[in-house]
Amino acid sequence: MCGVDEAGRGPLAGPVYAAAVILPPGLEIEGANDSKKLTEKKREALFLEIKEKALAYCVASASEREIDDINILNATYLAMARAVEGLSVKADYALIDGNRMPRLSVPGETIVKGDGLSMSIACASILAKVTRDHVMMEWDQRYPQYQFAKHKGYGTKLHMDLIRRYGPCELHRQSFLKKILGADASRTTRAQSIGKGRSSGSRLFGEKRLSHFREELSLPYGETDIIAEDGQYIIFVEVKTRNPGTMAGGAESVDEAKRKRLAQTAQTYLSEHPSGLQPGST
């Protein structure tokens, strides 16, 4: 039997996570409870203990794009199903925190406030929460302007102010931003946004008589949206679009880390495609 719980249904950014845990019969882990009631230090200690003592565990997620496509409830169920399926020991029954049963490959039941009543659910709650926190702290390194390490993507005043200033990044759930950026902005999908940006870029190339010859170069070190040349320079272009109500321009969201990755991408591309032209970026 496994316990299943989720973390991250409410935030404005980042995936939703779920964990499934199978414990040895009769095992009690002192202090294990609803992860939201524990201090960060206590959660981290229990995180290691649970992974060491569990018979099996799996932590899975559904991405922010999946959240936007199928809604947060269905994305949560998807993460739960992935967690149960990912167990190295197959569960014969599942205990789910909450009052609605996701579609799983095994039978099960729901327990309201189960993370305070079931040891395996409590352990799943901790694994899901700590794993998600770790991931958001990693994203903080890539997007320091949003300060994800402080709020983990939740809708704090600080986070909402930063979204208004810089606009959303790839980690933000577009369907959650209606109240912050307005209804029209929340309806704009990532694909639409990128498409508009590239169309604008193509028009700019025409005005400046640049030859636009490649889109979406992706390499292990990074990526660039458009590559163009003007007879003297090869130009690597990062496309940034902005939703209505955003105060900052696109250039402000291309931080130092992004500029370094763009430079690495350009250098790698030029080493694989020698040219007499000089590199440039915009």
Side-chain angles (χ1 to χ4, degrees):
M1 181 172 64
C2 68
V4 182
D5 202 359
E6 54 76 25
R9 285 184 62 177
L12 305 177
V16 59
Y17 276 77
V21 178
I22 300 176
L23 297 175
L27 176 67
E28 293 289 326
I29 296 180
E30 185 178 354
N33 203 325
D34 177 1
S35 63
K36 295 183 289 296
K37 296 179 180 179
L38 303 172
T39 65
E40 182 176 356
K41 183 177 180 180
K42 183 64 174 177
R43 283 196 301 266
E44 291 286 348
L46 288 169
F47 178 75
L48 298 175
E49 184 178 356
I50 292 164
K51 292 201 296 182
E52 179 183 345
K53 294 181 177 179
L55 288 178
Y57 67 88
C58 179
V59 183
S61 67
S63 71
E64 55 283 338
R65 183 163 298 182
E66 288 172 318
I67 292 169
D68 287 339
D69 288 345
I70 63 176
N71 75 45
I72 184 59
L73 179 61
N74 287 320
T76 301
Y77 290 165
L78 179 60
M80 287 180 169
R82 287 170 174 168
V84 172
E85 286 297 313
L87 288 167
S88 59
V89 176
K90 184 172 176 59
D92 57 4
Y93 200 78
L95 300 178
I96 312 296
D97 183 48
N99 60 2
R100 300 183 70 173
M101 186 72 189
R103 183 176 297 177
L104 302 176
S105 59
V106 299
E109 64 181 277
T110 60
I111 302 178
V112 176
K113 297 184 179 180
D115 44 14
L117 300 172
S118 163
M119 181 57 59
S120 60
I121 292 178
C123 290
S125 172
I126 292 166
L127 292 192
K129 169 65 174 171
V130 174
T131 299
R132 188 181 186 280
D133 284 354
H134 289 174
V135 168
M136 295 307 295
M137 287 188 282
E138 290 174 5
W139 277 104
D140 181 74
Q141 299 299 308
R142 182 168 180 179
Y143 293 108
Q145 67 269 38
Y146 297 104
Q147 301 186 42
F148 287 131
K150 287 187 176 180
H151 50 69
K152 310 302 190 297
Y154 282 87
T156 63
K157 182 180 184 301
L158 170 65
H159 188 194
M160 290 189 287
D161 287 345
L162 292 172
I163 293 172
R164 292 188 185 99
R165 179 178 180 184
Y166 294 108
C169 72
E170 62 183 295
L171 205 62
H172 285 101
R173 304 171 182 179
Q174 299 294 326
S175 55
F176 279 44
L177 301 182
K178 181 177 179 179
K179 291 183 179 179
I180 301 173
L181 300 177
D184 291 338
S186 67
R187 293 191 193 105
T188 302
T189 65
R190 291 177 178 84
Q192 290 171 329
S193 180
I194 292 170
K196 289 178 181 178
R198 288 187 178 138
S199 295
S200 298
S202 296
R203 288 195 299 272
L204 178 63
F205 296 152
E207 294 168 4
K208 294 185 177 292
R209 298 183 179 180
L210 301 176
S211 175
H212 164 196
F213 64 86
R214 180 160 182 168
E215 291 189 2
E216 289 190 280
L217 172 67
S218 180
L219 296 169
Y221 310 102
E223 59 186 10
T224 187
D225 292 307
I226 298 173
I227 304 175
E229 58 95 2
D230 66 354
Q232 182 179 4
Y233 293 96
I234 292 182
I235 303 166
F236 297 82
V237 182
E238 175 73 11
V239 174
K240 290 293 181 184
T241 59
R242 281 294 170 263
N243 286 313
T246 301
M247 296 175 64
E252 293 183 45
S253 65
V254 184
D255 57 21
E256 183 178 355
K258 179 63 179 177
R259 289 194 293 272
K260 287 181 179 178
R261 288 195 299 274
L262 185 59
Q264 281 185 306
T265 301
Q267 290 167 0
T268 303
Y269 178 84
L270 291 173
S271 69
E272 296 175 354
H273 302 81
S275 170
L277 302 179
Q278 302 178 58
S281 65
T282 185

